[in-house]
Amino acid sequence: MTVVETALRRQAERLRERGLRLESTEAARALLGSDAAQPARLGAEVDALLEEHGPRPGDTVLVDTWEGELSCQLRREADASAEASAEGEGMPPPGT
């Protein structure tokens, strides 16, 4: 198992205990593997996101990149359900 896989698995397990999910983009996984300090930054980014946004069970933490840095976003379960519903009906996603 690689350092990236270990870091992502550790975060996924932590989030799962709180009823949350973790998704990561290919760009985020590449960035995590590019620098030995990145996996520790992942934990700090996830912690900051959780503290700031007060996630609810069913929400998803999305790990991506922004301007060459790790970026974490919270996708609410209700938002994801509305997007899936809109896509299924051929409508644009909410908020567009």
Side-chain angles (χ1 to χ4, degrees):
M1 184 177 304
T2 68
V3 173
V4 173
E5 291 168 334
T6 301
L8 289 170
R9 176 172 281 162
R10 186 176 303 126
Q11 292 304 316
E13 289 171 2
R14 283 183 51 218
L15 293 170
R16 194 173 12 256
E17 290 172 1
R18 296 178 69 169
L20 306 170
R21 293 184 293 268
L22 177 75
E23 292 181 10
S24 61
T25 65
E26 199 61 40
R29 290 188 293 277
L31 181 61
L32 283 167
S34 71
D35 178 0
Q38 290 295 339
R41 287 188 190 120
L42 172 63
E45 288 288 326
V46 169
D47 289 344
L49 177 78
L50 297 178
E51 185 175 316
E52 182 179 338
H53 292 286
R56 299 180 293 243
D59 290 349
T60 301
V61 172
L62 175 62
V63 181
D64 200 351
T65 60
W66 177 258
E67 297 182 352
E69 297 291 328
L70 278 178
S71 169
C72 293
Q73 300 173 340
L74 186 68
R75 188 171 65 203
R76 298 281 184 198
E77 180 181 32
D79 295 344
S81 296
E83 275 184 34
S85 177
E87 287 175 4
E89 296 174 8
M91 309 223 6
T96 58

